[in-house]
């Protein structure tokens, strides 16, 4: 079994979240702590990326077709204020 790295480099972070680089840079990157790697490298903590994804899913996800009614979405203000 291969362990996931704790730090995800900037080039891999959009793919980790399954999104385009421009969307990541505009909507996600400004909300995360950047971790310097070497002289010019930048990475993000995988747990921060997971937390952003969980929050995004909670606030924007939709139930399956024919599923139960949507629950009231609480705590869905800005990701920064929800942390």
């Amino acid at each position: 079994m291969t362990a996931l790295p704790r730090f995800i480099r900037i080039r891999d972070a959009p793919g980790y979240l399954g999104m385009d680089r421009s969307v990541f840079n505009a909507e996600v990157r400004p909300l995360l702590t950047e971790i310097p790697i070497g002289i010019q490298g930048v990475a993000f903590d995988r747990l921060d990326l997971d937390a952003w994804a969980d929050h995004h899913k909670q606030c924007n996800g939709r139930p399956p077709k024919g599923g139960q009614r949507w629950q009231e979405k609480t705590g869905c203000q800005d990701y920064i204020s929800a942390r």
Side-chain angles (χ1 to χ4, degrees), residues 15-35:
Y16 179 78
L17 292 174
M19 64 177 53
D20 179 84
R21 180 178 305 277
S22 62
V23 173
F24 176 83
N25 285 334
E27 298 182 18
V28 182
R29 185 176 181 178
L31 306 176
L32 301 174
T33 301
E34 293 189 2
I35 303 159

